[in-house]
Amino acid sequence: MELMKYEHCIVGANLHLQFTPAYRRDIFCDSVVISACRDIFHEVAKTLDVDIVACAFGPDHTHVFISRWKNYSISYLAQRFKGRSSYAIRKCFWERVKPKLWGKKFWSGGYFAETVGRVTSETIRYYIERQQGKHWKSEKHELLSGEEELGDVFQLKLSAFSS
């Protein structure tokens, strides 16, 4: 990823957000709901003038990787992405998701957030795709350059991200 240059600063931070539907239900087994949610996330990003570098869905969660977010707090971004998508899905696709939920709640109350320094877009995509596999598939991936195996877990060494 490129460093973002602004009038008085240069920023190299990116944000990984993960949201989970209420009761960790498998809402995202439905490709229509996935497509709608992805489109809504991109609309929110455009409105906020942030970039979505990657967006992926597991059956019961979603990952969104954002860059150019320096003007917002993490909680504000989570609120905007979750709030807008919840409203739109309940309004347009409620009959598709209603059987899996109780009440009118779409997202769980919390979220996962992690700031990430300068990494390439390919690294981000690889990370998100791989995270999806870890959540709901039992696959063992080949070690890549710079990776070490820690039991059943693979972790990139810090040196793998050096320029």
Side-chain angles (χ1 to χ4, degrees):
M1 302 197 106
E2 297 292 320
L3 289 172
M4 300 307 298
K5 296 178 183 178
Y6 299 93
E7 189 173 338
H8 296 286
C9 63
I10 298 174
V11 179
N14 303 291
L15 179 63
H16 170 210
L17 293 171
Q18 180 183 341
F19 307 132
T20 306
Y23 318 107
R24 197 144 186 124
R25 302 305 299 248
D26 60 349
I27 301 297
F28 298 116
C29 288
D30 185 333
S31 62
V32 172
V33 175
I34 289 172
S35 180
C37 198
R38 182 178 283 121
D39 291 345
I40 295 160
F41 285 165
H42 283 282
E43 287 174 16
V44 171
K46 185 176 180 179
T47 300
L48 297 174
D49 196 27
V50 299
D51 291 333
I52 293 181
V53 178
C55 182
F57 295 82
D60 61 355
H61 65 282
T62 182
H63 295 271
V64 185
F65 206 95
I66 303 168
S67 67
R68 294 190 327 115
W69 61 280
K70 81 165 189 76
N71 294 327
Y72 303 103
S73 69
I74 294 171
S75 61
Y76 180 79
L77 289 169
Q79 177 187 17
R80 292 296 300 268
F81 281 98
K82 287 175 64 176
R84 179 70 179 107
S85 58
S86 175
Y87 174 80
I89 288 171
R90 285 183 291 117
K91 183 177 179 184
C92 301
F93 301 101
W94 189 241
E95 293 307 314
R96 295 181 89 95
V97 298
K98 184 179 177 180
K100 297 187 180 214
L101 300 172
W102 296 286
K104 293 187 177 184
K105 183 177 180 179
F106 183 76
W107 293 111
S108 65
Y111 58 90
F112 169 80
E114 175 180 43
T115 58
V116 183
R118 274 181 74 193
V119 294
T120 65
S121 297
E122 293 78 27
T123 303
I124 294 165
R125 284 190 189 95
Y126 172 78
Y127 171 77
I128 287 179
E129 288 169 5
R130 180 126 173 238
Q131 285 300 100
Q132 292 308 103
K134 287 165 76 173
H135 289 295
W136 59 290
K137 292 180 184 174
S138 177
E139 298 180 1
K140 203 157 191 174
H141 298 275
E142 292 180 33
L143 287 176
L144 297 179
S145 175
E147 253 184 350
E148 62 183 62
E149 186 171 0
L150 305 170
D152 288 340
V153 178
F154 296 98
Q155 180 172 334
L156 284 174
K157 298 177 187 173
L158 188 57
S159 61
F161 294 102
S162 301
S163 302

